[in-house]
Every structure is written in C-alpha cells, then in structure tokens.
Amino acid sequence: MSETTAVFQQSKRMRFFWLVVPLLLVPILFSQSAWSPWSLSRQGIEIMGYAFIIICVGGRCWASLYIGGRKNRELIANGPYQYTRNPLYFFSSLGLAGIGLTFGSLVIAAIYFLFGYVVFAYVSSREALALDELFGDAYRKYCQEVPAFFPRVRRSAGDSAYQSPTTFTPAALKRTAIDSSCFLLAIPAAELIKSLQFAELLDPMWRLF
C-alpha cells in the first residue's frame, strides 16, 4: 500500500467535518440554557467554555509546531505527542466542548465532546493502520507507551528512544492558527443567539442544563 493511499487525507477529514456542522447547530439554535443568564452558574459555565476554547487554540498550535510538514514522514513523539498520539484531535474535541459551554449548557458540551471523540477515534484508527505500515515496530512501541486520545500525565522512560530533532514550520503554524480561530467565533455567536432569544426573535424548543 502506498503512502498516498494509506493515509487518511486531511482534506477528506475536513470535508466530512464541515458536512456535519449543520447538525451541530441544531441543539444551539433550538435550545436555551436552563440557567438564568445572570446566575453565577451560567457565568461560570461560560467562562469555562472560553477557557476550553483558548486551550484548544493554543494546544492545536502547539501540536502543529511538531507535526507540521513532517506528518507521515517521521514518527513524531515530541512535544504534545509524548502525552497523546492525537493531540490535535484531543484539543479539537475540547474546543467543541468549549463551544457548548459558551452557550451555557453542560448537556450540549457533553454531546459535542462525545461527537468529537467518536469522529476522531474513527479517523485516528484509519490513520493508525497507515502509520503501523509506515513505521512498523517503532510505532507499535510508541502505541504501547502513549495513549491514543486522552493525555497521560507523565512521560515514560522510553520516550527519548524514538524522539527526533524538533524543527518548526511557520507555514504550518499559521495555517493551524487560522483554522483554530474558527473556535473563537463561538464566543460572539453565543452572545448573538442569547440576544435573539432575549428579544424573542429566536424561540427555543428545549431548556438544557
């Protein structure tokens, strides 16, 4: 199997993701937070959402510094890749949860995080088959020591055995920063929808905690 056919292309991932975005808008447009907009609980949840989104953007940029321009060419085990094999997917799922929190709903946050986890678990399983073929025993050893999704707290003693010298690609960082900025749009969008609901221009069907 060639590298071209083995690797699950990023363009396919992005096309699939944007196809399902309309489905993600349904709980936002047709529901309302069960907490009052002025309650401490609602404000705390929204602040947590902002924090998750900022961590998402920062984490994705951190990962791109190590993977940019080298994906499928080298086995990356530096930076965030020493804690999880798929930091981009983990931080993206965290960002999705943050979007739900900015709308004041723990339920939507959980749904969004679960959606990200399921989709990215499928994608990463496809990628793992290609990476196993490309890197063989080194990748299998890496998989034994580093979890696929949820980051581990500590590094293992064998990490340095397959770490390569770190070279950063500014173009990859710029591209990831631009892509990740889409998560930030959730903050003004939440305020806009909240205003439309307050003005009774948008009538929610459900009230979700």
Side-chain angles (χ1 to χ4, degrees):
M1 183 183 299
S2 67
E3 180 177 333
T4 302
T5 58
V7 178
F8 197 75
Q9 297 295 329
Q10 182 175 356
S11 60
K12 293 181 180 179
R13 295 198 302 266
M14 294 308 296
R15 282 198 298 269
F16 172 78
F17 181 78
W18 288 115
L19 282 174
V20 299
V21 162
L23 295 177
L24 294 177
L25 294 177
V26 171
I28 288 177
L29 294 176
F30 295 98
S31 66
Q32 185 179 40
S33 175
W35 281 286
S36 167
W38 302 278
S39 68
L40 291 177
S41 297
R42 173 75 175 269
Q43 294 175 16
I45 289 172
E46 291 179 358
I47 291 173
M48 187 184 302
Y50 304 154
F52 276 22
I53 290 175
I54 292 172
I55 292 172
C56 164
V57 173
R60 284 176 54 84
C61 290
W62 181 30
S64 73
L65 287 174
Y66 291 84
I67 197 69
R70 298 194 295 163
K71 188 172 185 179
N72 308 319
R73 299 177 182 176
E74 302 175 36
L75 178 58
I76 309 301
N78 301 22
Y81 290 88
Q82 61 193 311
Y83 302 104
T84 169
R85 301 201 302 271
N86 297 284
L88 282 168
Y89 299 159
F90 172 76
F91 286 118
S92 295
S93 296
L94 199 65
L96 288 173
I99 291 175
L101 293 173
T102 60
F103 287 89
S105 174
L106 296 174
V107 173
I108 295 178
I111 291 173
Y112 281 11
F113 184 85
L114 182 61
F115 167 81
Y117 175 79
V118 171
V119 170
F120 294 136
Y122 168 72
V123 173
S124 63
S125 67
R126 293 285 301 274
E127 291 180 332
L129 296 176
L131 294 172
D132 183 81
E133 183 172 342
L134 288 171
F135 302 112
D137 290 340
Y139 179 70
R140 287 187 281 273
K141 183 174 184 297
Y142 174 61
C143 291
Q144 291 175 356
E145 297 184 355
V146 180
F149 188 79
F150 291 100
R152 60 178 177 176
V153 178
R154 296 185 301 175
R155 299 171 53 183
S156 69
D159 282 347
S160 59
Y162 40 78
Q163 285 189 359
S164 57
T166 302
T167 56
F168 299 138
T169 306
L173 175 60
K174 179 180 178 181
R175 183 170 58 251
T176 301
I178 293 173
D179 292 342
S180 301
S181 65
C182 294
F183 287 93
L184 296 172
L185 296 176
I187 298 175
E191 293 300 319
L192 174 61
I193 290 179
K194 189 190 304 183
S195 299
L196 292 175
Q197 291 175 343
F198 184 77
E200 298 183 349
L201 297 176
L202 192 61
D203 187 21
M205 298 174 58
W206 314 293
R207 293 175 62 85
L208 302 176
F209 284 100

